[in-house]
Amino acid sequence: VTATSGAVIKVTGYAIGVSSNKYVNTMAVKVEVVDGGEEPEEPETPTEVKEYTVTEALAAYVDGQQIPAIVTGYIVGAMNSTGYVPEFGTTTVKTNILLSDNADETDIANCIIVQLPNNDIRKELNLVDHADYYKKQVKITGSIEKYFQQAGLKNPTAYEFAGTTGIAEVKGQNGEAIESIYDL
């Protein structure tokens, strides 16, 4: 609209009706700038994988594009496909998760919905089977694109949990936890 503001345009389409006996309703199939405007430029689709926070990923989203990305955020819930209702915390949904920059987020506007396709990533990341992942920070590789009619991260190919990792418990041959461990 901005590129054609003040320009003379030619609309090609079909007359599909009249309203108020003075307006012709048209289904446009082509719009051309005839004089005085700029031809709109198609946005360039990024091809290089870039790292984003959730807020940055939401800002980078362009409808109709697939933007390669690595998005880091906290797992805060999932989106229920019945009525597109977010479920924060405990969820019954295995097919997606919600990520946010804030571990205590309860506003869907501050979340990106991550698709969990029917493969190992779904088995390993869903909150139904892994309730302990709630509020855990994760970095997921996929593409920023439309999902649930809004910005989403689809087709994930890899993930890793943020933070340090270590040994939580050492068990002996009998399966019992060993209390004292010494480093020589």
Side-chain angles (χ1 to χ4, degrees):
V1 172
T2 305
T4 57
S5 180
V8 176
I9 60 171
K10 176 182 174 185
V11 178
T12 305
Y14 300 96
I16 57 173
V18 177
S19 60
S20 302
N21 291 326
K22 59 182 176 178
Y23 299 108
V24 176
N25 299 327
T26 306
M27 180 174 59
V29 294
K30 184 176 180 183
V31 177
E32 300 172 86
V33 175
V34 176
D35 183 38
E38 302 171 11
E39 287 292 330
E41 293 181 21
E42 285 292 319
E44 195 173 305
T45 303
T47 55
E48 186 178 311
V49 178
K50 182 180 170 189
E51 290 197 31
Y52 297 89
T53 64
V54 172
T55 302
E56 292 167 343
L58 293 171
Y61 166 72
V62 176
D63 191 12
Q65 287 191 356
Q66 296 176 344
I67 302 168
I70 300 170
V71 179
T72 302
Y74 294 94
I75 301 173
V76 295
M79 180 66 86
N80 192 318
S81 60
T82 307
Y84 290 6
V85 178
E87 295 179 359
F88 292 98
T90 305
T91 182
T92 59
V93 178
K94 288 186 175 187
T95 57
N96 66 76
I97 55 175
L98 297 174
L99 291 187
S100 178
D101 290 333
N102 177 357
D104 297 314
E105 189 62 63
T106 57
D107 184 351
I108 190 63
N110 300 322
C111 298
I112 192 164
I113 307 166
V114 180
Q115 175 191 48
L116 299 179
N118 195 9
N119 59 26
D120 287 343
I121 290 179
R122 178 182 294 176
K123 293 174 193 163
E124 296 164 5
L125 273 184
N126 77 79
L127 276 176
V128 175
D129 296 328
H130 306 284
D132 56 315
Y133 291 171
Y134 175 59
K135 294 188 178 186
K136 197 164 189 179
Q137 192 176 39
V138 66
K139 187 183 286 192
I140 303 175
T141 303
S143 67
I144 300 169
E145 56 186 284
K146 184 183 259 184
Y147 188 46
F148 279 90
Q149 303 301 318
Q150 62 192 58
L153 187 67
K154 292 183 72 176
N155 305 309
T157 57
Y159 72 92
E160 67 180 70
F161 288 101
T164 58
T165 58
I167 300 171
E169 182 178 51
V170 178
K171 294 184 179 182
Q173 289 179 340
N174 62 1
E176 293 182 22
I178 298 174
E179 297 296 324
S180 300
I181 301 172
Y182 301 95
D183 184 358
L184 300 177

